[in-house]
Amino acid sequence: MLFLVAALLLMGVVMGSVAHAPLPVSLVAAVVIGVWLTVFAVRERAGRRRHTSAH
């Protein structure tokens, strides 16, 4: 529960700063975060496939 509260608080801070940032800065940050999440998802999926095929 505490993790959820902290995540929502952090999201509020980020959303507030995006509202005051110029549009190009916001778009670059969104692309960087999207790439980071995509890489994370691919690595997680590859790790699960390797783990489940071994057992």
Side-chain angles (χ1 to χ4, degrees):
M1 182 70 178
L2 185 60
F3 177 75
L4 180 61
V5 171
L8 289 173
L9 179 65
L10 183 61
M11 187 179 73
V13 169
V14 170
M15 293 300 284
S17 63
V18 167
H20 298 287
L23 183 61
V25 173
S26 299
L27 291 176
V28 168
V31 168
V32 168
I33 291 169
V35 168
W36 175 43
L37 289 174
T38 303
V39 169
F40 177 76
V42 168
R43 289 182 62 185
E44 283 293 311
R45 180 171 286 218
R48 285 191 181 160
R49 277 195 191 142
R50 196 173 353 153
H51 184 69
T52 56
S53 65
H55 291 123

